[in-house]
């Protein structure tokens, strides 16, 4: 439902964010502001009904990632996707982890999928990559991510401030609080 979402503001278009879409996958987008690149990619979970289509999507996503990070001078990166990665996603996430490590900039992967709150620092063993898994949208409060200009050791990777209102049902952001401790084999 968010295809071409940036066009809903009419005359107040989001031109200041340099919103772009991947020509071959209109659902993939990028936004850039003040050294921060935001990437939205079609990364889903569930049954693999067509393995060829999944691999083509992974290839397109990876191409979009490379094209986008090479377009700008970036100091931080935020990636949005739905899937909480599992081994079925290794064709995309394994090469992505290598690229993110080589970029050596703070990187945040925001996902849903499992629908409970979790933070995983050093995601996939990469020091500069943190995964934040958000709770189920209709039950959990919104999450606000701020990317600060001055590094602060109290923030995720020094630049990401992640906030949401606590819930009466369990603390933290959403119904459960805490850190992900899952392994590659259990990332769902």
């Amino acid at each position: 439902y968010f295809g071409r979402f940036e066009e809903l503001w009419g005359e107040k278009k989001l031109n200041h964010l340099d919103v772009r879409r991947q020509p071959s996958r209109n659902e993939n987008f990028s936004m850039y502001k003040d050294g921060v690149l935001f990437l939205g990619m079609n990364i889903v979970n569930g049954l693999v009904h067509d393995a060829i289509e999944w691999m083509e999507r992974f290839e397109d996503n990876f191409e979009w990632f490379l094209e986008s990070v090479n377009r700008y001078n970036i100091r931080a990166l935020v990636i949005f996707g739905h899937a909480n990665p599992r081994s079925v996603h290794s064709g995309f996430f394994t090469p992505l982890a290598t690229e993110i490590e080589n970029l050596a900039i703070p990187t945040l992967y925001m996902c849903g999928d499992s629908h409970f709150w979790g933070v995983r620092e050093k995601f996939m063993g990469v020091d500069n990559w943190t995964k934040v898994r958000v709770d189920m949208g209709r039950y959990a409060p919104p999450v606000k991510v701020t990317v600060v200009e001055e590094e602060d050791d109290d923030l995720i990777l020094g630049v990401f401030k992640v906030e949401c209102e606590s819930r009466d049902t369990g603390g933290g952001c959403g119904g459960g609080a805490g850190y992900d401790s899952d392994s590659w084999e259990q990332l769902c």
Side-chain angles (χ1 to χ4, degrees):
Y1 352 83
F2 292 115
R4 308 308 249 167
F5 191 71
E6 69 275 9
E7 296 176 359
L8 298 178
W9 281 268
E11 294 298 316
K12 297 181 182 179
K13 288 188 179 180
L14 304 177
N15 293 336
H16 66 287
L17 295 177
D18 194 24
V19 178
R20 295 174 185 251
R21 296 218 172 243
Q22 185 177 22
S24 61
R25 285 204 180 269
N26 194 48
E27 68 272 24
N28 288 350
F29 68 91
S30 70
M31 298 182 298
Y32 175 82
K33 177 125 171 83
D34 299 331
V36 181
L37 178 62
F38 302 88
L39 284 179
M41 291 188 275
N42 183 351
I43 309 169
V44 297
N45 216 342
L47 296 175
V48 180
H49 298 287
D50 183 341
I52 293 172
E53 190 280 328
W54 272 59
M55 289 310 298
E56 288 173 351
R57 184 167 2 104
F58 289 163
E59 290 170 7
D60 289 346
N61 288 347
F62 192 68
E63 179 182 305
W64 182 240
F65 168 84
L66 292 174
E67 180 183 321
S68 298
V69 298
N70 289 317
R71 180 180 297 122
Y72 305 102
N73 181 18
I74 56 177
R75 64 180 180 84
L77 172 63
V78 179
I79 300 172
F80 303 101
H82 178 70
N84 188 27
R86 307 180 289 141
S87 57
V88 71
H89 300 100
S90 64
F92 173 67
F93 277 96
T94 299
L96 183 66
T98 300
E99 290 297 323
I100 288 173
E101 187 170 39
N102 290 338
L103 279 174
I105 60 168
T107 302
L108 194 65
Y109 176 57
M110 302 283 300
C111 65
D113 199 16
S114 300
H115 304 295
F116 62 92
W117 178 256
V119 176
R120 173 88 188 259
E121 295 175 322
K122 297 184 181 184
F123 182 50
M124 293 188 63
V126 177
D127 289 341
N128 58 303
W129 196 7
T130 296
K131 176 184 75 170
V132 173
R133 186 182 51 227
V134 299
D135 206 344
M136 189 173 292
R138 67 180 168 195
Y139 301 116
V143 175
K144 177 182 177 182
V145 176
T146 305
V147 184
V148 301
E149 290 190 32
E150 302 273 330
E151 284 202 27
D152 180 341
D153 290 338
D154 292 332
L155 303 179
I156 295 174
L157 296 173
V159 299
F160 298 113
K161 183 177 183 180
V162 179
E163 305 170 274
C164 65
E165 296 178 18
S166 292
R167 305 240 330 157
D168 295 334
T169 58
C173 296
Y179 284 82
D180 268 343
S181 59
D182 42 20
S183 67
W184 176 247
E185 292 78 25
Q186 301 170 330
L187 280 171
C188 55

